[in-house]
Amino acid sequence: MSGQSLFPLLEPLLPRVRKPVQYVGGEGNAVVKPWGDAAVHWCLMYPDAYEVGLPNQGVQILYEILNEQPDVLAERTYSVWPDLEALMREHRIPQFTVDGHRPVGDFDLFGVSFSTELGYTNLLSALDLAGIPLRTADRAAPGDGLTWPVVIAGGHAAFNPEPIADFVDAVVLGDGEQAVLLITDITRAWKAAGAPGGRTELLHRLARRKLVYVPEFYDVSYRPDGRIAAVTRNRDDVPERPAKHTLTDLDSWPYPKTPLVPLAETVHERLSVEIFRGCTRGCRFCQAGMITRPVRERSITTVGEMVDAGLAASGFSEVGLLSLSSADHSEIGEIAKGLADRYEGTNTALSLPSTRVDAFNVTLANEFSRNGRRSGLTFAPEGGSERLRRVINKTVSAEDLVRTVSTAYANGWRQVKLYFMCGLPTETDQDVLEIADLAREVIRAGRRASGHRDIRCTVSIGGFVPKSHTPFQWAGQASHEVTDQRLKLLRDTVRADREVGRAVGFRYHDGRPGIIEGLLARGDRRVGRVIERVWRDGGRFDGWSEHFSFARWEAACEAELTGLGVSLDWFTTRERDEREILPWDHLDAGLDRDWLWADWQDALRATELDDCRWTPCYDCGVCPTMGTENQIGPTGRTLIPVIPVGRTDASAVSAASAEPGPAGSSPVPSDLARVSASST
């Protein structure tokens, strides 16, 4: 029967696998609707383990928005670990949802959100376990309605979906809130009309409405040297350049309102509230900042309402105020003070993600740590030398960093974490070694400012991967040998420093996973055969070091690409020229290609670019192309404290009733306050 629960078949297997609780469902605020009451059925997936996937904001937001519709059913699925996958294959149990334990293959629409390209092999596992043909060409049968779900990719990694073009039916570029509702409307009407023309007609309708990019409606040809000759549409009534969706007026979309509360341990167990979307700082390495432009802030009152409602609905004891650069919110000081005032005397902790050095304010940090433990601060200089930071447009000097951390240490903090990248364009060994110099100065400054020697600094380093729709999309990626050699040189230099070496922690990963991420991030449709071979050879959970095999990927590239005149190095370490057609050029992220190229040339000259929030427009193209603009405050409003249980003195009542509180506000239990400025 369609939509029937598989749990009676699954339950006997759970005692035989690790962490069986991740497969049982029943989380706080989860939704299970009667199958027959829904006109449209969505399955949403984050292609990683439950502990990583459940906190994902994108999936939670879409899950809630869809389930608010009375005739729509949305459930979730995550990647199953290899131990359960083996048992499911042995007992012929298909990929299931954690809500109703229904077969994924029974749903109308299968939406998969990719934050990283290393989840592609997990997509193939889910499709195969669900009984869905891997390739979209094998799912089409004229007039058959929907034998299998329409597979729709989204998320940041979907801005170059070409490596998985053979496996997904459609792609949503950009913000998904409005897009999924419109996709639902068209699917509902198509089903009500008797599913005319089968899945191809449904995809055609979605593409004509400019809701999705359908790869099968676009043909790719190649030059003899391996480069792309052209990408052309094969239907005249679909967009020549499918464009991203941009959600405006975030105050009208205060999701999630009722966040999921996990039963199993997850990587983030907190209430996450997105305080603004987009970033115009212009860091040239940052795909997220480029593709989510422009900046759209939530007002201080909406943030307050979301925090209050989310805490009441979830019982979480920590609130994370999230964005790409949270300290840049035009009212961040007022938000911090308002929330600290509101939840002082409760068990509610407040946190920010890593903070830009030039955005750090000790007053702000003190608000987040009021009456609480000062566990640590995180900054992201990204580049080791000042020259390299100009290349990447991360305009922070060594003096700025030392001054900032000195202030932090003087005000009671004892630990600082610094994020850097290795393998950035134009980087030299000396640029990387300057990371050791910075760490040394940070420790010295901390000891001077605090008067203590128990000062810690953790240096965390990741390999740089060039991404689509950024000024670095033309750059040659550093080989894993170069990355590993530089990291070893840095590690040895830090450890050899007898004065501060023991006070500096050092965390890094080898360069090999970054090379495969680079292959998938800038690959074209020919890379799809590599992904499939890796998966058939056992590739799963490639974002996890214990499961990743560089040798497996290297062998698959050799087997699948050699005959095509391209290679792993061709896709990764090769620098592109201005005229080369890139695999994603036919997809519109709003950014003008000429502007990106000019910014790439500015990078090579180590020329900085200002943030357009505070300066005149510098013509990146997003606002006129997308019909949007930066939406920033301040609003001039304030948050009103919530009256804690047991606090009934007249002055408290008078203060709290001076003006109306936020919608949905409720009393907060009194407890020991713990407000932390740590993001970890």
Side-chain angles (χ1 to χ4, degrees):
M1 181 185 299
S2 182
Q4 186 173 1
S5 174
L6 297 169
F7 197 71
L9 301 176
L10 177 67
E11 187 177 19
L13 306 181
L14 296 182
R16 301 167 60 184
V17 302
R18 291 179 61 246
K19 300 182 181 179
V21 68
Q22 65 187 305
Y23 305 117
V24 301
E27 305 98 336
N29 298 320
V31 177
V32 180
K33 291 183 174 182
W35 185 266
D37 291 354
V40 179
H41 306 86
W42 275 88
C43 177
L44 302 174
M45 181 182 192
Y46 188 86
D48 208 323
Y50 175 95
E51 62 198 86
V52 177
L54 183 132
N56 180 261
Q57 283 288 95
V59 170
Q60 288 207 34
I61 289 170
L62 300 185
Y63 176 77
E64 187 169 326
I65 287 173
L66 289 167
N67 277 317
E68 282 185 345
Q69 311 306 307
D71 66 342
V72 178
L73 177 154
E75 297 192 358
R76 298 160 293 126
T77 190
Y78 306 101
S79 296
V80 298
W81 284 110
D83 57 354
L84 183 58
E85 179 183 345
L87 290 171
M88 290 168 64
R89 292 188 184 280
E90 178 185 347
H91 294 271
R92 298 185 179 181
I93 298 175
Q95 181 82 20
F96 57 88
T97 61
V98 296
D99 300 286
H101 297 96
R102 290 159 170 154
V104 169
D106 287 354
F107 287 76
D108 300 314
L109 302 160
F110 183 25
V112 187
S113 179
F114 291 101
S115 296
T116 171
E117 296 84 358
L118 292 174
Y120 290 163
T121 50
N122 283 356
L123 166 65
L124 299 195
S125 292
L127 291 174
D128 190 60
L129 283 170
I132 303 170
L134 291 186
R135 293 178 173 270
T136 184
D138 297 328
R139 300 174 202 147
D144 71 341
L146 282 181
T147 303
W148 298 285
V150 171
V151 181
I152 306 176
H156 287 182
F159 271 81
N160 175 27
E162 294 304 282
I164 54 171
D166 290 338
F167 312 122
V168 299
D169 298 307
V171 180
V172 172
L173 300 174
D175 299 329
E177 289 93 334
Q178 292 170 315
V180 294
L181 294 178
L182 294 171
I183 291 169
T184 300
D185 290 343
I186 290 175
T187 303
R188 180 193 295 111
W190 172 80
K191 288 181 67 178
R199 66 189 299 113
T200 300
E201 172 58 23
L202 175 57
L203 290 169
H204 192 200
R205 293 185 182 191
L206 295 174
R208 285 203 313 263
R209 285 284 302 274
K210 301 181 180 180
L211 296 177
V212 298
Y213 162 56
V214 179
E216 71 174 271
F217 296 161
Y218 299 80
D219 298 324
V220 183
S221 58
Y222 302 93
R223 298 180 183 276
D225 63 2
R227 294 181 299 166
I228 294 174
V231 180
T232 55
R233 55 184 173 172
N234 52 44
R235 292 174 178 253
D236 292 338
D237 55 354
V238 300
E240 187 173 359
R241 293 192 71 215
K244 75 170 183 177
H245 299 269
T246 302
L247 188 72
T248 57
D249 188 15
L250 290 190
D251 281 353
S252 298
W253 297 83
Y255 294 92
K257 301 173 183 176
T258 53
L260 293 166
V261 183
L263 299 179
E265 183 179 5
T266 60
V267 293
H268 297 300
E269 296 186 357
R270 65 189 178 200
L271 171 65
S272 295
V273 175
E274 184 184 30
I275 62 174
F276 71 87
R277 192 172 295 180
C279 182
T280 49
R281 282 284 193 166
C283 298
R284 294 172 174 130
F285 59 85
C286 182
Q287 184 191 49
M290 293 290 171
I291 63 177
T292 60
R293 294 178 177 204
V295 170
R296 290 146 288 154
E297 288 187 354
R298 281 197 168 103
S299 67
I300 181 174
T301 47
T302 298
V303 171
E305 290 165 6
M306 291 179 68
V307 170
D308 191 46
L311 289 173
S314 67
F316 283 123
S317 60
E318 181 181 351
V319 179
L321 302 181
L322 306 185
S323 74
L324 293 175
S325 185
S326 294
D328 284 339
H329 192 290
S330 64
E331 295 183 299
I332 189 61
E334 292 82 357
I335 290 173
K337 184 179 186 306
L339 292 177
D341 286 345
R342 173 176 289 185
Y343 298 109
E344 186 171 5
T346 77
N347 67 342
T348 303
L350 304 175
S351 65
L352 280 181
S354 62
T355 306
R356 289 182 61 101
V357 172
D358 53 351
F360 176 78
N361 180 297
V362 72
T363 302
L364 174 65
N366 283 337
E367 292 292 355
F368 276 89
S369 64
R370 190 193 301 178
N371 297 328
R373 176 175 56 89
R374 297 183 174 185
S375 57
L377 292 167
T378 302
F379 301 104
E382 308 290 2
S385 69
E386 193 163 340
R387 182 200 67 82
L388 195 57
R389 290 192 289 275
R390 289 197 300 271
V391 169
I392 65 177
N393 207 42
K394 194 87 171 185
T395 52
V396 174
S397 69
E399 291 75 18
D400 291 335
L401 178 61
V402 170
R403 186 184 314 113
T404 296
V405 298
S406 294
T407 303
Y409 285 130
N411 281 270
W413 277 273
R414 294 291 178 265
Q415 296 186 48
V416 167
K417 180 184 291 184
L418 303 177
Y419 280 124
F420 296 93
M421 286 186 291
C422 183
L424 289 161
T426 78
E427 181 185 270
T428 66
D429 289 358
Q430 184 56 42
D431 291 315
V432 175
L433 286 176
E434 289 196 36
I435 295 174
D437 297 336
L438 278 176
R440 183 184 303 111
E441 289 306 310
V442 164
I443 295 297
R444 289 174 174 172
R447 289 172 176 173
R448 287 194 302 269
S450 67
H452 300 282
R453 292 190 62 82
D454 62 333
I455 296 298
R456 294 283 300 170
C457 172
T458 299
V459 173
S460 183
I461 306 181
F464 168 67
V465 178
K467 294 293 179 98
S468 61
H469 306 286
T470 71
F472 288 167
Q473 64 185 1
W474 289 278
Q477 186 174 354
S479 69
H480 66 86
E481 293 91 349
V482 167
T483 298
D484 291 344
Q485 179 268 327
R486 287 177 179 163
L487 289 175
K488 182 179 183 301
L489 183 63
L490 175 61
R491 181 196 63 195
D492 293 345
T493 301
V494 170
R495 289 179 177 176
D497 191 324
R498 294 186 177 182
E499 179 190 359
V500 301
R502 291 186 177 181
V504 178
F506 193 61
R507 298 177 182 175
Y508 67 95
H509 300 285
D510 70 73
R512 288 174 175 81
I515 288 294
I516 301 308
E517 185 180 345
L519 167 73
L520 302 176
R522 292 194 293 173
D524 55 40
R525 294 187 183 185
R526 293 169 291 187
V527 173
R529 63 189 69 197
V530 176
I531 298 170
E532 184 172 346
R533 178 176 281 258
V534 167
W535 173 76
R536 292 192 184 280
D537 288 343
R540 309 285 192 277
F541 290 95
D542 287 293
W544 295 70
S545 58
E546 60 266 41
H547 294 281
F548 175 80
S549 169
F550 184 74
R552 183 161 47 212
W553 281 94
E554 200 171 34
C557 288
E558 179 72 20
E560 297 292 343
L561 299 179
T562 301
L564 303 176
V566 293
S567 66
L568 177 58
D569 287 343
W570 191 90
F571 281 111
T572 55
T573 59
R574 178 180 64 92
E575 186 168 319
R576 284 72 165 161
D577 63 40
E578 180 181 9
R579 296 176 300 280
E580 179 172 345
I581 296 174
L582 304 175
W584 51 88
D585 276 347
H586 63 294
L587 302 176
D588 187 4
L591 296 153
D592 182 78
R593 194 181 195 273
D594 291 338
W595 178 82
L596 286 172
W597 176 263
D599 204 33
W600 168 230
Q601 300 310 298
D602 282 344
L604 296 176
R605 292 187 291 266
T607 302
E608 300 165 354
L609 192 68
D610 290 331
D611 185 337
C612 69
R613 269 175 293 188
W614 325 118
T615 62
C617 173
Y618 47 75
D619 296 325
C620 77
V622 167
C623 291
T625 301
M626 301 287 113
T628 57
E629 61 182 356
N630 288 326
Q631 299 174 350
I632 59 176
T635 63
R637 301 169 185 165
T638 58
L639 293 179
I640 303 303
V642 177
I643 305 173
V645 173
R647 183 183 171 196
T648 56
D649 57 279
S651 61
V653 173
S654 175
S657 59
E659 57 181 291
S665 62
S666 59
V668 180
S670 179
D671 202 346
L672 177 67
R674 182 179 61 85
V675 185
S676 170
S678 172
S679 68
T680 56

